[in-house]
Amino acid sequence: MAIALPQSLENLALKSMEKELTPQEIVSELDKFIIGQQAAKRAVAIALRNRYRRRKLPPELGDEIAPKNILMIGPTGVGKTEISRRLAKLTYSPFLKIEASKFTEVGYVGRDVESMIRDLVRISVDLLKSEKFEEIKEKATKNVEEKILDILLPPIRRSIDTVDENDQLKFQETREKFRKKLRNGLLDERMIEIEIKEKMSSPLEIFSNSGMEDIGIQIQEIMPGLLGGKPKRRKVKIKEAQEYLLEDEQKRLVDMDQIARLAVERVEHSGIIFLDEVDKVAGRETGHGPEVSREGVQRDLLPIIEGTTVNTRFGLVRTDHILFIGAGAFHVTRPSDLIPELQGRFPIRVELTSLDKKDFIKILTEPENALIRQYKALLETEGIHIDFTEDAIDEIADIAEKVNDDSENIGARRLHTVMEKVMEDISFEAPTLKKKKISIDRKYVHKQLKDIVEDQDLSRFIL
């Protein structure tokens, strides 16, 4: 069955619960945040749609169809990570970004490759928990309201024979008055006494390659009193009590066993792992240096990507249908330097192109999270309205391109550095500026960056 899209995404809220995005719709959504790189967008759109197609097939055939993992090749700052991250947001899929260089082969000090599956399951559990909490929030809020009213106005406790109807009616009227005040926030500062479980961090921190990172959490779940968490009665404001009691009530109403089961299922069918810096572990065994460990990491990654079963604290997880997106600059090494078996598990190769001045201008102005929009919004909180002229945007893009050409090419990330330097004086003086409308033109940009751009040595350090 297709995974429903999140209602929080306004542009997708009206989609049918049973309908998945078409490849064209996926590319269109990615275009709102990422400039260019159409080949990569098409590749991930097809991979995502194939998941939907596979779920429509009979189970016996669907299980045989493995995901077509993708290897993105391109310099830093061109959109590799952003494409994967936005893709996961579109489908509300469990998503994990991790660097391949963090892993070491078994026997070396460092993280083992199975830890990324455990991390992905934890992310999936948190996603589902927040979804379920939102579903039952209305019911939990009503229950919390009744609990607080019971504390403020304890129910009449008398024998059935002595209950006076008038007393009962007056009690209900008073209770409703308190309910109205509570909902209007008139009782927020009033103190009440509630039972609170102390939240204490586990004193046990274990790092190993055997998957026992959660030992402290597991012990606390089995024996709550051992590592803290004993209930204590405390006086708190009603507003604070509502927050605590709501969280406690949501946990009580949610079936964590069901969440764990659904989370594992979602990981198995919709999980996405973005494996960055794959080029850092590319290299064959030569008998010396760190390359022995590099090839060992590749061999450890192989069964996870091919499809295996990993033991997690939420149950066994099959990795057969998790989508892996590898990425790397591959300046020093090449994809062919990976071991053949791993090369075969990334059948789709896409090369992302370097960004030029035209791309920088689009990045500054077109995306929904465009840099210029961000700076305008930030300064409007101080009552200052910023206007960027076309020649100013052209100059910023031109400088970013030149600095990338003269030093290390860090792609769109260079725009952040240049923009921050252009806006430095205005951002610093914003709270005390009397002039509330400021126009930034080419002349202003040139004045802010002239000395840095002309001095090559200084430019390498500052921009």
Side-chain angles (χ1 to χ4, degrees), residues 33 61 99 173 236 263 265 322 405 430-431:
F33 300 96
L61 179 58
E99 289 75 34
E173 287 176 0
V236 294
E265 188 179 327
I322 293 174
D405 290 340

Side-chain angles (χ1 to χ4, degrees), residues 441-458:
D441 55 15
R442 186 188 295 273
K443 186 179 177 182
Y444 182 85
V445 173
H446 191 66
K447 185 185 80 172
Q448 291 293 101
L449 301 174
K450 181 183 176 184
D451 295 337
I452 300 171
V453 172
E454 289 178 356
D455 188 333
Q456 288 294 320
D457 293 332
L458 191 59

